[in-house]
Amino acid sequence: MKSSLRLEKWKKYETLYTDREWTEDEADVFSTAIRIHGAELRAVQEQIPSRKMPELVRYFGLWKSIKVGEGNRRLAKGGPRLKVKHRKFESPEQALEGQRVGLSDDEGSIIEQSSKAPTCAACRSRESSTWWKAPKGLSSDIMCDSCGTGWRKYADLVVRPLRDEAIASGKSRLEKREGTPLVGPSAKRARTSTSAASTPPPAVGNVPQLRCLACMKNGPIGKVLKCKNCQLRIHAGSCGEIADPAQLEHWTCELCRNQETLEASVISDCLLCPRATAQERKHAPYPPSDSFLRACKPTEGQGWAHVLCAVFTPELAFTDASKLRLVEGLSTIARHRWVTRCSICTRPGGSVVRCNDCPKEYHASCAWKEGHRFGFEIQPVKSSRRDTTIMTTFKGEHGCMNAIISCKDHDHSKRDIYDICETNEGGETALQVYCHAYKQALVGQAHALLRKARRLDQILNVRGDVSTIPPPEPLMPEPECYRCHSQYSPAFYPMSLSNGSRITSSDYTRWICHRCHFDVEQANGLNGIHHLGQAYA
């Protein structure tokens, strides 16, 4: 044991390894179980259910030390043990003298040469210095010295097959025994005719291999693509690419392709990461082609985002999940992700993600550079929640698939986390299966601009009902001059009588045009009709 201290969960300081004192009954049961089962501590634990396996392991070490100490003290007290003198024989015959009744096995198996021409039942040899009895079921009852010795030592016979006519003629003389084949098995391969057409072995081609920068594993060309311009190497299923087999040598990545098509911005900075420094931009191309972070996808606003950042940020989705194109939903990312500083680079800006096993938060790109664990985990779903939960299947495991980012310091040995490029029986990567199930935008309900507008409405807390829309104002008829009945004038003025009583607003015929307004004003001198000074446009 390296240290006598251990770290327990929810405790601030380390504690000692302290076990409960063993009682005499437990010690006796332990000694008896060790005598019966040996070092099989699982069987010993069944005899002592009150003790856990770590306690048994520690006590077993102590028990062995005590036994060794007792033996050493006994030897030191009584002196060394006396060596037992064993009788030595000069020959094997002397050792076996007086221990055999009757003939030996070899003597009983050796037979005298018969008057007929002897033939070995196995190899068909007719000359041998010693002949042995052959097992029943063979063509003859004797074997030569080499075959008989091999049969007695190794129970192995190399039987030479008989020709068809020899088997047919001697079949009536063979003695059949139940459970014993008439013809022994042949260890040699049967000889075939030279005229028979033989199938040539399949040609083994040397398929070139490429190392993927996402999983650092080799794969054949086609599954692993290589950019013609920047030399980026990546699995096709990890970047949403469907390459033409005839154009594999001319394949280019999204960033290199954009330099010709200008489909998106020429600034290739990821919108979910902090701005790159001038020192980082000195090395062309940017992002560097020796990392998985070179794999980027355009956003709905003609920007760029790393495939890694887009997949592992829960608020984002793809317009086409099969190609991982047009990242949507950057405006829906929570404000907390934008204002929190990364625990790795401590630089402002960018959107952070949280570790699955601790409260640390960092940029997805910083976590990738640091060597943290990225993958996907399938968790079982309760039967009461299966109707409301999206479930998928990967490698025979069925449940809810989650994108996992975990610090490299955590223990991942007890969890089944699938890597980004790990494939199932159909050849789909874990990233593809996850994006198809959880990252596909609802393109069938609305077009892209309307989906973006709805997301902005959610941010601004604008309700979609019509109760907030004010009712339209009633349409007023076209005004007409009360004096000249003209409907065309730069301005119309409402009228009031000389006694001060106003014409009601419902009587829309009491208007005076601009020309009549000045004529009446000059004629009456403001005594007959008083104007309100408001123009009706």
Side-chain angles (χ1 to χ4, degrees):
M1 185 182 299
K2 294 183 180 180
S3 175
S4 60
L5 301 176
R6 60 176 174 174
L7 182 62
E8 294 183 339
K9 202 173 184 180
W10 312 117
K11 287 189 178 182
K12 187 174 182 181
Y13 302 102
E14 295 179 338
T15 56
L16 291 171
Y17 281 104
T18 56
D19 293 338
R20 224 171 3 98
E21 292 293 336
W22 284 65
T23 62
E24 295 183 1
D25 296 337
E26 290 177 338
D28 294 340
V29 173
F30 181 83
S31 301
T32 306
I34 287 294
R35 195 177 300 111
I36 297 173
H37 303 289
E40 288 291 335
L41 296 184
R42 295 186 183 275
V44 175
Q45 188 184 19
E46 295 178 357
Q47 305 292 332
I48 314 175
S50 60
R51 294 289 180 174
K52 297 180 179 179
M53 182 59 70
E55 295 178 335
L56 288 176
V57 173
R58 288 191 286 270
Y59 186 75
F60 181 57
L62 177 63
W63 181 83
K64 286 198 300 182
S65 301
I66 293 174
K67 293 298 180 183
V68 172
E70 290 178 356
N72 292 337
R73 286 191 295 270
R74 192 183 306 111
L75 289 176
K77 187 176 181 180
R81 294 182 180 180
L82 296 176
K83 294 184 178 180
V84 180
K85 293 184 178 181
H86 299 282
R87 184 182 175 185
K88 296 183 179 180
F89 299 98
E90 296 180 358
S91 63
E93 291 78 9
Q94 185 181 359
L96 297 175
E97 186 178 0
Q99 300 183 15
R100 183 186 300 116
V101 178
L103 296 175
S104 64
D105 294 340
D106 292 343
E107 292 176 357
S109 300
I110 296 176
I111 61 176
E112 297 180 0
Q113 184 175 354
S114 59
S115 58
K116 299 179 181 180
T119 303
C120 177
C123 65
R124 306 290 179 265
S125 176
R126 297 187 179 184
E127 295 180 359
S128 177
S129 59
T130 307
W131 294 95
W132 299 78
K133 287 185 179 180
K136 293 185 178 182
L138 298 180
S139 59
S140 64
D141 298 335
I142 59 175
M143 291 187 299
C144 64
D145 190 17
S146 60
C147 295
T149 305
W151 168 254
R152 292 186 60 80
K153 286 185 177 181
Y154 310 111
D156 185 21
L157 277 180
V158 181
V159 181
R160 182 179 176 183
L162 294 174
R163 290 180 294 181
D164 296 340
E165 57 271 13
I167 295 176
S169 61
K171 187 175 181 181
S172 59
R173 299 194 302 266
L174 294 179
E175 181 181 357
K176 182 178 179 181
R177 182 180 178 184
E178 184 178 358
T180 304
L182 293 178
V183 181
S186 176
K188 295 183 179 179
R189 185 177 178 182
R191 185 177 180 182
T192 59
S193 175
T194 56
S195 61
S198 59
T199 304
V204 179
N206 295 326
V207 180
Q209 302 283 322
L210 296 176
R211 180 178 290 272
C212 174
L213 296 176
C215 60
M216 293 300 172
K217 295 180 180 179
N218 293 335
I221 296 178
K223 290 187 177 180
V224 179
L225 302 177
K226 182 179 180 180
C227 179
K228 181 182 67 174
N229 297 337
C230 65
Q231 310 301 318
L232 171 68
R233 303 179 305 278
I234 189 172
H235 274 98
S238 301
C239 60
E241 290 290 339
I242 304 175
D244 185 7
Q247 301 293 329
L248 293 178
E249 297 181 356
H250 303 285
W251 178 81
T252 55
C253 64
E254 290 276 356
L255 293 177
C256 296
R257 203 178 307 151
N258 184 69
Q259 294 179 0
E260 299 178 0
T261 61
L262 298 180
E263 178 185 359
S265 174
V266 294
I267 300 176
S268 58
D269 288 348
C270 176
L271 300 179
L272 301 171
C273 298
R275 286 287 183 180
T277 61
Q279 186 68 22
E280 294 174 345
R281 293 180 181 277
K282 284 184 178 179
H283 305 284
Y286 180 82
S289 59
D290 57 350
S291 172
F292 180 48
L293 299 179
R294 175 72 180 177
C296 296
K297 292 294 179 178
T299 64
E300 59 183 348
Q302 286 76 44
W304 292 97
H306 293 133
V307 171
L308 197 73
C309 301
V311 172
F312 286 89
T313 301
E315 292 89 349
L316 301 184
F318 295 98
T319 305
D320 187 358
S322 61
K323 297 182 179 180
L324 304 183
R325 282 186 60 83
L326 294 188
V327 182
E328 296 185 8
L330 271 75
S331 58
T332 61
I333 298 178
R335 183 175 180 272
H336 165 75
R337 296 184 185 274
W338 297 105
V339 299
T340 303
R341 284 182 177 266
C342 173
S343 61
I344 298 177
C345 67
T346 66
R347 291 166 57 186
S351 174
V352 298
V353 291
R354 187 171 183 175
C355 175
N356 188 257
D357 300 317
C358 68
K360 290 183 179 179
E361 293 181 325
Y362 32 64
H363 300 123
S365 57
C366 295
W368 180 266
K369 295 176 184 177
E370 196 69 13
H372 292 341
R373 181 67 184 274
F374 285 75
F376 303 94
E377 184 180 31
I378 295 182
Q379 297 179 351
V381 181
K382 294 182 179 179
S383 57
S384 58
R385 298 183 180 178
R386 291 179 181 175
D387 296 337
T388 59
T389 305
I390 301 176
M391 302 177 66
T392 186
T393 303
F394 188 78
K395 281 194 169 182
E397 192 174 358
H398 188 65
C400 180
M401 198 173 193
N402 297 323
I404 298 297
I405 302 179
S406 181
C407 301
K408 60 182 179 181
D409 300 331
H410 301 312
D411 183 18
H412 307 118
S413 59
K414 298 181 180 179
R415 302 172 62 180
D416 293 333
I417 300 179
Y418 300 104
D419 292 334
I420 294 176
C421 299
E422 191 167 349
T423 58
N424 58 6
E425 297 80 4
E428 287 186 308
T429 63
L431 186 142
Q432 282 180 302
V433 174
Y434 175 75
C435 291
H436 288 167
Y438 304 97
K439 286 290 187 176
Q440 175 62 53
L442 302 177
V443 296
Q445 298 182 1
H447 55 83
L449 187 59
L450 182 56
R451 292 196 302 271
K452 186 174 182 180
R454 287 177 177 175
R455 289 193 293 267
L456 293 176
D457 289 345
Q458 294 176 1
I459 298 173
L460 300 175
N461 297 323
V462 176
R463 294 180 298 176
D465 54 356
V466 297
S467 59
T468 57
I469 301 176
E473 296 182 356
L475 296 177
M476 299 176 61
E478 292 292 336
E480 184 178 351
C481 181
Y482 181 69
R483 290 186 62 200
C484 63
H485 303 287
S486 174
Q487 294 181 350
Y488 303 98
S489 175
F492 286 89
Y493 300 89
M495 300 173 56
S496 62
L497 300 178
S498 58
N499 56 5
S501 61
R502 288 196 55 171
I503 299 176
T504 60
S505 59
S506 60
D507 190 359
Y508 295 110
T509 59
R510 303 294 183 175
W511 297 94
I512 188 171
C513 65
H514 191 69
R515 180 178 179 180
C516 296
H517 164 67
F518 284 99
D519 291 344
V520 173
E521 184 178 0
Q522 294 176 0
N524 298 335
L526 298 177
N527 291 327
I529 299 178
H530 300 279
H531 308 289
L532 298 179
Q534 294 181 348
Y536 182 87

